[in-house]
Short mmCIF file of all heavy atoms in Angstrom, two decimals:
data_model
loop_
_atom_site.label_atom_id
_atom_site.label_comp_id
_atom_site.label_asym_id
_atom_site.label_seq_id
_atom_site.Cartn_x
_atom_site.Cartn_y
_atom_site.Cartn_z
N GLY A 1 -113.27 -55.50 49.18
CA GLY A 1 -114.16 -56.42 48.55
C GLY A 1 -114.17 -56.24 47.04
O GLY A 1 -113.62 -55.29 46.52
N GLY A 2 -114.81 -57.14 46.34
CA GLY A 2 -114.87 -57.06 44.89
C GLY A 2 -116.12 -56.36 44.40
O GLY A 2 -117.02 -56.05 45.16
N GLY A 3 -116.17 -56.12 43.10
CA GLY A 3 -117.34 -55.54 42.48
C GLY A 3 -117.32 -54.03 42.32
O GLY A 3 -118.23 -53.46 41.74
N TRP A 4 -116.30 -53.37 42.82
CA TRP A 4 -116.25 -51.92 42.74
C TRP A 4 -115.93 -51.43 41.33
O TRP A 4 -116.06 -50.23 41.04
CB TRP A 4 -115.22 -51.36 43.72
CG TRP A 4 -115.64 -51.54 45.14
CD1 TRP A 4 -115.20 -52.49 46.00
CD2 TRP A 4 -116.60 -50.76 45.85
NE1 TRP A 4 -115.82 -52.35 47.21
CE2 TRP A 4 -116.69 -51.29 47.16
CE3 TRP A 4 -117.40 -49.67 45.52
CZ2 TRP A 4 -117.53 -50.76 48.13
CZ3 TRP A 4 -118.24 -49.14 46.49
CH2 TRP A 4 -118.30 -49.69 47.77
N ASN A 5 -115.52 -52.31 40.41
CA ASN A 5 -115.17 -51.88 39.06
C ASN A 5 -116.35 -51.34 38.28
O ASN A 5 -116.18 -50.68 37.27
CB ASN A 5 -114.50 -53.03 38.29
CG ASN A 5 -115.37 -54.25 38.21
OD1 ASN A 5 -116.20 -54.49 39.08
ND2 ASN A 5 -115.18 -55.07 37.20
N THR A 6 -117.59 -51.56 38.73
CA THR A 6 -118.76 -50.99 38.07
C THR A 6 -119.05 -49.57 38.56
O THR A 6 -119.96 -48.93 38.05
CB THR A 6 -120.02 -51.86 38.29
OG1 THR A 6 -120.31 -51.89 39.68
CG2 THR A 6 -119.80 -53.26 37.76
N CYS A 7 -118.28 -49.11 39.51
CA CYS A 7 -118.47 -47.77 40.08
C CYS A 7 -117.26 -46.90 39.75
O CYS A 7 -116.25 -46.97 40.44
CB CYS A 7 -118.68 -47.84 41.57
SG CYS A 7 -120.05 -48.89 42.07
N PRO A 8 -117.37 -46.04 38.72
CA PRO A 8 -116.20 -45.24 38.35
C PRO A 8 -115.84 -44.17 39.38
O PRO A 8 -114.72 -43.70 39.40
CB PRO A 8 -116.61 -44.59 37.02
CG PRO A 8 -118.09 -44.62 37.01
CD PRO A 8 -118.50 -45.82 37.82
N GLU A 9 -116.77 -43.82 40.24
CA GLU A 9 -116.50 -42.80 41.26
C GLU A 9 -117.04 -43.27 42.60
O GLU A 9 -118.20 -43.69 42.71
CB GLU A 9 -117.18 -41.47 40.89
CG GLU A 9 -116.75 -40.88 39.58
CD GLU A 9 -115.34 -40.32 39.61
OE1 GLU A 9 -114.86 -39.96 40.71
OE2 GLU A 9 -114.73 -40.25 38.55
N THR A 10 -116.23 -43.17 43.63
CA THR A 10 -116.68 -43.38 45.00
C THR A 10 -116.27 -42.15 45.80
O THR A 10 -115.19 -41.60 45.59
CB THR A 10 -116.08 -44.65 45.64
OG1 THR A 10 -114.66 -44.57 45.55
CG2 THR A 10 -116.57 -45.91 44.96
N VAL A 11 -117.15 -41.72 46.69
CA VAL A 11 -116.89 -40.49 47.44
C VAL A 11 -117.16 -40.74 48.92
O VAL A 11 -118.28 -41.09 49.30
CB VAL A 11 -117.82 -39.35 46.94
CG1 VAL A 11 -117.56 -38.07 47.73
CG2 VAL A 11 -117.63 -39.11 45.44
N GLY A 12 -116.12 -40.58 49.73
CA GLY A 12 -116.30 -40.61 51.17
C GLY A 12 -116.90 -39.30 51.60
O GLY A 12 -116.30 -38.24 51.39
N ILE A 13 -118.10 -39.31 52.13
CA ILE A 13 -118.84 -38.07 52.34
C ILE A 13 -118.96 -37.66 53.80
O ILE A 13 -119.70 -36.75 54.12
CB ILE A 13 -120.24 -38.18 51.72
CG1 ILE A 13 -120.98 -39.38 52.31
CG2 ILE A 13 -120.17 -38.25 50.24
CD1 ILE A 13 -122.42 -39.42 51.93
N GLY A 14 -118.24 -38.32 54.67
CA GLY A 14 -118.40 -37.99 56.08
C GLY A 14 -119.63 -38.68 56.64
O GLY A 14 -120.05 -39.72 56.17
N ASP A 15 -120.25 -38.07 57.61
CA ASP A 15 -121.38 -38.68 58.30
C ASP A 15 -122.71 -38.17 57.73
O ASP A 15 -123.36 -37.30 58.29
CB ASP A 15 -121.29 -38.36 59.80
CG ASP A 15 -122.33 -39.08 60.61
OD1 ASP A 15 -123.03 -39.95 60.06
OD2 ASP A 15 -122.46 -38.76 61.80
N ALA A 16 -123.15 -38.74 56.62
CA ALA A 16 -124.35 -38.26 55.93
C ALA A 16 -125.63 -38.60 56.67
O ALA A 16 -126.59 -37.84 56.60
CB ALA A 16 -124.41 -38.85 54.52
N ASN A 17 -125.66 -39.69 57.39
CA ASN A 17 -126.90 -40.09 58.07
C ASN A 17 -126.87 -39.77 59.57
O ASN A 17 -127.74 -40.21 60.32
CB ASN A 17 -127.21 -41.57 57.84
CG ASN A 17 -126.12 -42.49 58.36
OD1 ASN A 17 -125.10 -42.05 58.86
ND2 ASN A 17 -126.35 -43.78 58.22
N HIS A 18 -125.88 -39.02 60.00
CA HIS A 18 -125.78 -38.51 61.37
C HIS A 18 -125.79 -39.60 62.45
O HIS A 18 -126.40 -39.43 63.51
CB HIS A 18 -126.91 -37.50 61.65
CG HIS A 18 -126.96 -36.39 60.66
ND1 HIS A 18 -126.03 -35.39 60.63
CD2 HIS A 18 -127.81 -36.16 59.63
CE1 HIS A 18 -126.30 -34.56 59.64
NE2 HIS A 18 -127.38 -35.02 59.01
N ASP A 19 -125.07 -40.69 62.18
CA ASP A 19 -124.97 -41.75 63.20
C ASP A 19 -123.57 -41.80 63.83
O ASP A 19 -123.27 -42.69 64.60
CB ASP A 19 -125.33 -43.11 62.62
CG ASP A 19 -124.34 -43.59 61.55
OD1 ASP A 19 -123.44 -42.82 61.17
OD2 ASP A 19 -124.52 -44.72 61.08
N GLY A 20 -122.71 -40.84 63.48
CA GLY A 20 -121.37 -40.78 64.06
C GLY A 20 -120.32 -41.57 63.31
O GLY A 20 -119.19 -41.66 63.76
N ARG A 21 -120.66 -42.17 62.16
CA ARG A 21 -119.71 -42.96 61.38
C ARG A 21 -119.61 -42.42 59.96
O ARG A 21 -120.60 -41.99 59.38
CB ARG A 21 -120.15 -44.41 61.32
CG ARG A 21 -120.23 -45.06 62.67
CD ARG A 21 -120.69 -46.50 62.56
NE ARG A 21 -121.21 -46.96 63.82
CZ ARG A 21 -122.49 -47.15 64.08
NH1 ARG A 21 -123.39 -46.99 63.15
NH2 ARG A 21 -122.88 -47.55 65.27
N PRO A 22 -118.41 -42.46 59.35
CA PRO A 22 -118.27 -41.99 57.97
C PRO A 22 -119.00 -42.91 56.99
O PRO A 22 -119.05 -44.12 57.18
CB PRO A 22 -116.76 -42.00 57.73
CG PRO A 22 -116.19 -42.88 58.78
CD PRO A 22 -117.15 -42.90 59.93
N ASP A 23 -119.57 -42.30 55.95
CA ASP A 23 -120.35 -43.02 54.95
C ASP A 23 -119.73 -42.86 53.56
O ASP A 23 -118.76 -42.13 53.39
CB ASP A 23 -121.79 -42.49 54.94
CG ASP A 23 -122.44 -42.58 56.31
OD1 ASP A 23 -122.33 -43.64 56.95
OD2 ASP A 23 -123.06 -41.59 56.73
N LEU A 24 -120.31 -43.54 52.59
CA LEU A 24 -119.77 -43.56 51.24
C LEU A 24 -120.89 -43.47 50.20
O LEU A 24 -121.93 -44.11 50.35
CB LEU A 24 -119.00 -44.87 51.04
CG LEU A 24 -118.33 -45.10 49.71
CD1 LEU A 24 -117.01 -44.34 49.66
CD2 LEU A 24 -118.06 -46.59 49.51
N PHE A 25 -120.68 -42.66 49.15
CA PHE A 25 -121.53 -42.68 47.97
C PHE A 25 -120.74 -43.37 46.86
O PHE A 25 -119.53 -43.17 46.73
CB PHE A 25 -121.86 -41.27 47.47
CG PHE A 25 -123.06 -40.66 48.10
CD1 PHE A 25 -122.96 -39.52 48.86
CD2 PHE A 25 -124.33 -41.21 47.92
CE1 PHE A 25 -124.07 -38.94 49.43
CE2 PHE A 25 -125.45 -40.64 48.49
CZ PHE A 25 -125.31 -39.50 49.25
N ALA A 26 -121.41 -44.16 46.06
CA ALA A 26 -120.77 -44.80 44.90
C ALA A 26 -121.62 -44.49 43.66
O ALA A 26 -122.82 -44.78 43.63
CB ALA A 26 -120.68 -46.30 45.10
N TYR A 27 -121.00 -43.87 42.67
CA TYR A 27 -121.65 -43.55 41.41
C TYR A 27 -121.33 -44.69 40.45
O TYR A 27 -120.20 -44.81 39.98
CB TYR A 27 -121.13 -42.23 40.87
CG TYR A 27 -121.36 -41.08 41.81
CD1 TYR A 27 -120.36 -40.66 42.67
CD2 TYR A 27 -122.59 -40.45 41.86
CE1 TYR A 27 -120.57 -39.62 43.55
CE2 TYR A 27 -122.81 -39.41 42.74
CZ TYR A 27 -121.79 -38.99 43.58
OH TYR A 27 -122.01 -37.97 44.46
N CYS A 28 -122.31 -45.54 40.19
CA CYS A 28 -122.10 -46.73 39.37
C CYS A 28 -122.78 -46.58 38.02
O CYS A 28 -123.52 -45.62 37.80
CB CYS A 28 -122.62 -47.96 40.11
SG CYS A 28 -121.82 -48.20 41.71
N SER A 29 -122.56 -47.54 37.16
CA SER A 29 -123.12 -47.46 35.81
C SER A 29 -124.65 -47.55 35.80
O SER A 29 -125.29 -47.04 34.90
CB SER A 29 -122.53 -48.56 34.94
OG SER A 29 -122.79 -49.83 35.52
N ASP A 30 -125.24 -48.17 36.81
CA ASP A 30 -126.69 -48.37 36.81
C ASP A 30 -127.43 -47.47 37.79
O ASP A 30 -128.64 -47.25 37.64
CB ASP A 30 -127.04 -49.83 37.10
CG ASP A 30 -126.52 -50.29 38.46
OD1 ASP A 30 -125.61 -49.63 39.01
OD2 ASP A 30 -127.03 -51.29 38.96
N ALA A 31 -126.78 -46.96 38.82
CA ALA A 31 -127.45 -46.16 39.84
C ALA A 31 -126.41 -45.51 40.74
O ALA A 31 -125.21 -45.76 40.62
CB ALA A 31 -128.37 -47.03 40.68
N THR A 32 -126.89 -44.67 41.64
CA THR A 32 -126.05 -44.09 42.68
C THR A 32 -126.42 -44.77 43.99
O THR A 32 -127.61 -44.88 44.32
CB THR A 32 -126.28 -42.57 42.78
OG1 THR A 32 -125.99 -41.99 41.51
CG2 THR A 32 -125.38 -41.96 43.83
N TYR A 33 -125.43 -45.22 44.73
CA TYR A 33 -125.66 -45.99 45.94
C TYR A 33 -125.10 -45.27 47.17
O TYR A 33 -124.09 -44.57 47.08
CB TYR A 33 -125.01 -47.36 45.85
CG TYR A 33 -125.60 -48.21 44.76
CD1 TYR A 33 -124.93 -48.37 43.55
CD2 TYR A 33 -126.82 -48.85 44.93
CE1 TYR A 33 -125.47 -49.15 42.53
CE2 TYR A 33 -127.36 -49.64 43.92
CZ TYR A 33 -126.68 -49.79 42.73
OH TYR A 33 -127.23 -50.55 41.74
N PHE A 34 -125.75 -45.50 48.29
CA PHE A 34 -125.30 -45.01 49.58
C PHE A 34 -124.91 -46.21 50.43
O PHE A 34 -125.66 -47.18 50.53
CB PHE A 34 -126.43 -44.23 50.26
CG PHE A 34 -126.11 -43.85 51.68
CD1 PHE A 34 -125.23 -42.82 51.94
CD2 PHE A 34 -126.68 -44.53 52.75
CE1 PHE A 34 -124.92 -42.47 53.24
CE2 PHE A 34 -126.39 -44.19 54.05
CZ PHE A 34 -125.51 -43.15 54.29
N TYR A 35 -123.72 -46.14 51.02
CA TYR A 35 -123.24 -47.18 51.94
C TYR A 35 -123.03 -46.54 53.30
O TYR A 35 -122.18 -45.67 53.46
CB TYR A 35 -121.91 -47.75 51.45
CG TYR A 35 -121.99 -48.55 50.17
CD1 TYR A 35 -121.93 -47.93 48.93
CD2 TYR A 35 -122.10 -49.93 50.21
CE1 TYR A 35 -122.00 -48.67 47.76
CE2 TYR A 35 -122.16 -50.68 49.05
CZ TYR A 35 -122.12 -50.04 47.83
OH TYR A 35 -122.17 -50.77 46.69
N ALA A 36 -123.82 -46.95 54.27
CA ALA A 36 -123.68 -46.42 55.62
C ALA A 36 -122.49 -47.09 56.31
O ALA A 36 -122.29 -48.30 56.19
CB ALA A 36 -124.95 -46.69 56.43
N GLY A 37 -121.69 -46.29 57.01
CA GLY A 37 -120.58 -46.83 57.77
C GLY A 37 -121.07 -47.61 58.97
O GLY A 37 -122.06 -47.25 59.60
N THR A 38 -120.36 -48.70 59.30
CA THR A 38 -120.77 -49.55 60.41
C THR A 38 -119.92 -49.35 61.66
O THR A 38 -120.33 -49.71 62.75
CB THR A 38 -120.69 -51.04 60.03
OG1 THR A 38 -119.31 -51.35 59.77
CG2 THR A 38 -121.55 -51.36 58.83
N GLY A 39 -118.70 -48.85 61.49
CA GLY A 39 -117.77 -48.75 62.60
C GLY A 39 -117.02 -50.03 62.88
O GLY A 39 -116.21 -50.09 63.80
N ASP A 40 -117.26 -51.07 62.09
CA ASP A 40 -116.60 -52.37 62.26
C ASP A 40 -115.55 -52.53 61.16
O ASP A 40 -115.88 -52.51 59.98
CB ASP A 40 -117.66 -53.47 62.15
CG ASP A 40 -117.10 -54.88 62.36
OD1 ASP A 40 -115.86 -55.04 62.46
OD2 ASP A 40 -117.92 -55.81 62.40
N TRP A 41 -114.31 -52.70 61.54
CA TRP A 41 -113.24 -52.80 60.54
C TRP A 41 -113.38 -54.04 59.67
O TRP A 41 -112.87 -54.08 58.55
CB TRP A 41 -111.86 -52.75 61.21
CG TRP A 41 -111.56 -53.91 62.10
CD1 TRP A 41 -111.82 -54.00 63.42
CD2 TRP A 41 -110.94 -55.14 61.72
NE1 TRP A 41 -111.42 -55.23 63.90
CE2 TRP A 41 -110.86 -55.96 62.87
CE3 TRP A 41 -110.45 -55.66 60.53
CZ2 TRP A 41 -110.32 -57.23 62.86
CZ3 TRP A 41 -109.91 -56.92 60.53
CH2 TRP A 41 -109.84 -57.69 61.67
N ARG A 42 -114.05 -55.07 60.15
CA ARG A 42 -114.21 -56.30 59.36
C ARG A 42 -115.26 -56.14 58.27
O ARG A 42 -115.22 -56.85 57.26
CB ARG A 42 -114.56 -57.47 60.27
CG ARG A 42 -113.41 -57.86 61.19
CD ARG A 42 -113.90 -58.77 62.26
NE ARG A 42 -114.84 -58.00 63.08
CZ ARG A 42 -114.99 -58.11 64.37
NH1 ARG A 42 -114.31 -59.01 65.02
NH2 ARG A 42 -115.83 -57.36 65.02
N ALA A 43 -116.22 -55.28 58.48
CA ALA A 43 -117.27 -54.98 57.50
C ALA A 43 -117.59 -53.50 57.63
O ALA A 43 -118.53 -53.10 58.31
CB ALA A 43 -118.52 -55.83 57.77
N PRO A 44 -116.76 -52.64 57.01
CA PRO A 44 -116.86 -51.20 57.26
C PRO A 44 -118.15 -50.53 56.75
O PRO A 44 -118.49 -49.45 57.22
CB PRO A 44 -115.64 -50.63 56.56
CG PRO A 44 -115.23 -51.66 55.58
CD PRO A 44 -115.67 -52.98 56.13
N PHE A 45 -118.85 -51.16 55.82
CA PHE A 45 -120.06 -50.55 55.28
C PHE A 45 -121.22 -51.54 55.30
O PHE A 45 -121.05 -52.73 55.06
CB PHE A 45 -119.84 -50.05 53.85
CG PHE A 45 -118.81 -48.98 53.77
CD1 PHE A 45 -117.55 -49.24 53.29
CD2 PHE A 45 -119.09 -47.70 54.20
CE1 PHE A 45 -116.58 -48.26 53.24
CE2 PHE A 45 -118.13 -46.70 54.16
CZ PHE A 45 -116.88 -46.97 53.67
N ALA A 46 -122.42 -51.02 55.56
CA ALA A 46 -123.64 -51.81 55.51
C ALA A 46 -123.99 -52.08 54.04
O ALA A 46 -123.37 -51.54 53.12
CB ALA A 46 -124.77 -51.06 56.19
N ASP A 47 -125.01 -52.92 53.82
CA ASP A 47 -125.48 -53.17 52.46
C ASP A 47 -125.86 -51.86 51.79
O ASP A 47 -126.32 -50.92 52.44
CB ASP A 47 -126.69 -54.10 52.48
CG ASP A 47 -126.32 -55.51 52.90
OD1 ASP A 47 -125.13 -55.88 52.79
OD2 ASP A 47 -127.22 -56.23 53.36
N ARG A 48 -125.72 -51.83 50.49
CA ARG A 48 -125.98 -50.60 49.74
C ARG A 48 -127.47 -50.31 49.65
O ARG A 48 -128.31 -51.20 49.65
CB ARG A 48 -125.37 -50.68 48.35
CG ARG A 48 -126.05 -51.67 47.45
CD ARG A 48 -125.33 -51.75 46.13
NE ARG A 48 -126.06 -52.63 45.22
CZ ARG A 48 -125.64 -52.96 44.03
NH1 ARG A 48 -124.48 -52.50 43.60
NH2 ARG A 48 -126.34 -53.74 43.26
N ASP A 49 -127.76 -49.02 49.57
CA ASP A 49 -129.12 -48.54 49.34
C ASP A 49 -129.07 -47.64 48.10
O ASP A 49 -128.17 -46.80 47.99
CB ASP A 49 -129.63 -47.71 50.52
CG ASP A 49 -129.92 -48.53 51.74
OD1 ASP A 49 -130.46 -49.63 51.58
OD2 ASP A 49 -129.61 -48.06 52.85
N ILE A 50 -130.02 -47.80 47.21
CA ILE A 50 -130.10 -46.90 46.06
C ILE A 50 -130.57 -45.55 46.57
O ILE A 50 -131.45 -45.46 47.40
CB ILE A 50 -131.08 -47.44 45.00
CG1 ILE A 50 -130.52 -48.71 44.36
CG2 ILE A 50 -131.36 -46.39 43.93
CD1 ILE A 50 -131.43 -49.35 43.36
N THR A 51 -129.94 -44.50 46.08
CA THR A 51 -130.31 -43.16 46.49
C THR A 51 -130.66 -42.32 45.28
O THR A 51 -130.03 -42.44 44.23
CB THR A 51 -129.20 -42.49 47.31
OG1 THR A 51 -129.63 -41.18 47.67
CG2 THR A 51 -127.90 -42.39 46.55
N GLY A 52 -131.64 -41.49 45.41
CA GLY A 52 -132.01 -40.54 44.38
C GLY A 52 -131.42 -39.17 44.63
O GLY A 52 -131.71 -38.22 43.94
N LEU A 53 -130.57 -39.11 45.66
CA LEU A 53 -129.99 -37.83 46.04
C LEU A 53 -129.18 -37.21 44.91
O LEU A 53 -129.31 -36.03 44.62
CB LEU A 53 -129.11 -38.00 47.28
CG LEU A 53 -128.47 -36.75 47.83
CD1 LEU A 53 -129.52 -35.75 48.25
CD2 LEU A 53 -127.57 -37.10 49.00
N LEU A 54 -128.36 -38.01 44.27
CA LEU A 54 -127.54 -37.53 43.16
C LEU A 54 -127.71 -38.48 41.99
O LEU A 54 -127.77 -39.68 42.17
CB LEU A 54 -126.06 -37.48 43.57
CG LEU A 54 -125.74 -36.56 44.73
CD1 LEU A 54 -124.32 -36.79 45.22
CD2 LEU A 54 -125.94 -35.11 44.35
N PRO A 55 -127.77 -37.96 40.78
CA PRO A 55 -127.91 -38.84 39.61
C PRO A 55 -126.66 -39.67 39.38
O PRO A 55 -125.58 -39.30 39.85
CB PRO A 55 -128.15 -37.88 38.46
CG PRO A 55 -127.50 -36.60 38.90
CD PRO A 55 -127.67 -36.56 40.41
N ALA A 56 -126.80 -40.76 38.67
CA ALA A 56 -125.64 -41.58 38.32
C ALA A 56 -124.64 -40.73 37.56
O ALA A 56 -125.01 -39.88 36.75
CB ALA A 56 -126.07 -42.78 37.49
N TYR A 57 -123.40 -40.92 37.84
CA TYR A 57 -122.33 -40.15 37.21
C TYR A 57 -122.29 -40.42 35.71
O TYR A 57 -122.23 -41.57 35.31
CB TYR A 57 -121.01 -40.53 37.87
CG TYR A 57 -119.86 -39.62 37.52
CD1 TYR A 57 -119.75 -38.38 38.12
CD2 TYR A 57 -118.92 -40.01 36.61
CE1 TYR A 57 -118.70 -37.55 37.81
CE2 TYR A 57 -117.87 -39.18 36.30
CZ TYR A 57 -117.76 -37.95 36.91
OH TYR A 57 -116.73 -37.12 36.59
N PRO A 58 -122.33 -39.37 34.87
CA PRO A 58 -122.31 -39.62 33.43
C PRO A 58 -120.94 -40.10 32.96
O PRO A 58 -119.92 -39.70 33.55
CB PRO A 58 -122.63 -38.26 32.84
CG PRO A 58 -122.20 -37.29 33.86
CD PRO A 58 -122.38 -37.96 35.19
N PRO A 59 -120.88 -40.93 31.94
CA PRO A 59 -119.58 -41.34 31.42
C PRO A 59 -118.82 -40.15 30.87
O PRO A 59 -119.42 -39.15 30.48
CB PRO A 59 -119.93 -42.34 30.32
CG PRO A 59 -121.37 -42.13 30.01
CD PRO A 59 -121.99 -41.50 31.21
N PRO A 60 -117.49 -40.22 30.85
CA PRO A 60 -116.69 -39.05 30.43
C PRO A 60 -116.93 -38.61 29.00
O PRO A 60 -116.59 -37.51 28.63
CB PRO A 60 -115.25 -39.51 30.63
CG PRO A 60 -115.29 -40.95 30.88
CD PRO A 60 -116.68 -41.33 31.25
N THR A 61 -117.55 -39.46 28.18
CA THR A 61 -117.81 -39.07 26.80
C THR A 61 -119.22 -38.51 26.60
O THR A 61 -119.60 -38.16 25.49
CB THR A 61 -117.63 -40.27 25.86
OG1 THR A 61 -118.51 -41.32 26.30
CG2 THR A 61 -116.20 -40.77 25.88
N ALA A 62 -119.99 -38.40 27.68
CA ALA A 62 -121.37 -37.90 27.57
C ALA A 62 -121.38 -36.42 27.26
O ALA A 62 -120.52 -35.66 27.71
CB ALA A 62 -122.12 -38.17 28.88
N VAL A 63 -122.36 -36.02 26.50
CA VAL A 63 -122.54 -34.61 26.19
C VAL A 63 -123.82 -34.14 26.87
O VAL A 63 -124.87 -34.75 26.73
CB VAL A 63 -122.65 -34.38 24.66
CG1 VAL A 63 -122.91 -32.92 24.35
CG2 VAL A 63 -121.40 -34.88 23.97
N SER A 64 -123.72 -33.06 27.65
CA SER A 64 -124.91 -32.57 28.34
C SER A 64 -125.39 -31.28 27.71
O SER A 64 -124.66 -30.49 27.25
CB SER A 64 -124.63 -32.29 29.79
OG SER A 64 -123.82 -33.21 30.38
#
């Protein structure tokens, strides 16, 4: 699908919500999102949910 260009990092994290399907975290410019796996090859991920689990990924030029 389109729109992933706003997410510089995506991480396949395994089964984070313990439903037996692999899930995805996406670190985007505005927030960090969680995508639950659906098990359906036609729509592999459910709608995104904002998560506070991990902060948004800082840009590579950020100074901490």
Side-chain angles (χ1 to χ4, degrees):
W4 291 101
N5 57 333
T6 62
C7 303
E9 301 288 336
T10 55
V11 180
I13 56 170
D15 186 9
N17 61 358
H18 305 288
D19 66 355
R21 299 179 200 107
D23 304 314
L24 181 79
F25 272 117
Y27 301 96
C28 302
S29 57
D30 60 341
T32 302
Y33 296 102
F34 172 75
Y35 292 85
T38 64
D40 182 353
W41 65 270
R42 292 167 295 215
F45 297 105
D47 291 338
R48 69 184 185 184
D49 289 320
I50 292 177
T51 180
L53 182 61
L54 299 169
Y57 191 77
T61 57
V63 177
S64 320

